[in-house]
Amino acid sequence: MRFAPGARRLAIPAFAAAALLAPVAFPLSLLALAIGGFVGWFFRDPERRPSGPGVVSPADGRISVVRVEGDQFRVGVFMNVTDVHVNRAPFDGTVESVTHRPGKHLPAFSKESERNERVDVTIATEAGPAEVSLIAGAFARRIHPYVQAGNDLARAQRIGHIDFGSRADVLLPPAYDREDLLVAEGDRVRAGESIVAATDR
């Protein structure tokens, strides 16, 4: 089983505490063991492959936003605490910039989450400019991008992860229109696997 970076940093202290507490405070030892197990499970990073041609979801979770912004469509995915939190590139392209924007830590499923802390990854694609945004939630305090400006991306490649409850958006290139969208608000998707927009371009 593969794990996202940070799993050892958070899980090992919990497992160590469980071992130290076992002889003197067994209930607390069990609690520490459970915490370590939860952290490892949360940071799981399963292999994923696209289920077909088109734009893949950047995250596991439920579609929370589908809207027009100028001449582009934004598709947002809310990640519950039970979802895999490793994020993936929706399409092939080249990273133009990775920008951290400080902000609030409101629930990621709310409309107000637009003001939350985030990392915006702008991407040049054959269909035009695009962007993936990793948005912190109420409990998420750290966003971990894996890419930097100049990196070439392959569709479904790992591009980062967010700790504990959050949201990931993809701003599709202008070449995509409403007829290309294959998802609606409320749909369940899987990062790097589910197709959110299809086109023959």
Side-chain angles (χ1 to χ4, degrees):
M1 171 75 70
R2 176 170 175 159
F3 297 94
R8 291 183 179 179
R9 174 176 55 84
L10 296 173
I12 288 177
F15 289 136
L20 292 173
L21 289 169
V24 294
F26 190 67
L28 291 178
S29 175
L30 290 178
L31 176 61
L33 186 64
I35 291 172
F38 171 76
V39 168
W41 173 78
F42 178 86
F43 281 90
R44 67 198 186 281
D45 183 8
E47 293 297 328
R48 294 285 174 79
R49 292 184 180 180
S51 60
V55 178
V56 297
S57 174
D60 278 25
R62 194 173 297 277
I63 301 293
S64 59
V65 175
V66 177
R67 69 165 180 259
V68 179
E69 291 189 6
D71 59 351
Q72 294 175 271
F73 278 89
R74 177 178 295 275
V75 177
V77 182
F78 170 68
M79 291 173 277
N80 206 327
V81 70
T82 57
D83 292 313
V84 172
H85 276 57
V86 175
N87 304 123
R88 306 235 176 197
F91 25 59
D92 296 339
T94 301
V95 176
E96 293 192 318
S97 66
V98 178
T99 306
H100 174 261
R101 303 182 188 281
K104 298 181 178 296
H105 291 87
L106 302 169
F109 55 80
S110 73
K111 294 181 180 179
E112 298 300 313
S113 64
E114 299 294 333
R115 296 184 291 161
N116 281 9
E117 179 183 359
R118 62 197 288 152
V119 170
D120 294 322
V121 181
T122 59
I123 304 169
T125 78
E126 291 185 354
E131 183 178 83
V132 176
S133 297
L134 309 182
I135 303 170
F139 298 103
R141 288 296 185 270
R142 297 194 66 182
I143 303 172
H144 307 270
Y146 302 166
V147 297
Q148 59 186 358
N151 288 167
D152 291 327
L153 296 180
R155 186 174 67 128
Q157 174 183 330
R158 296 170 176 87
I159 60 171
H161 77 271
I162 314 172
D163 293 348
F164 305 112
S166 42
R167 179 176 138 192
D169 290 6
V170 53
L171 189 63
L172 298 171
Y176 289 81
D177 57 34
R178 187 172 293 278
E179 293 183 354
D180 296 319
L181 294 177
L182 300 179
V183 293
E185 291 186 14
D187 289 351
R188 290 282 308 177
V189 291
R190 285 161 61 93
E193 182 176 301
S194 301
I195 308 302
V196 300
T199 179
D200 56 3
R201 295 178 188 83

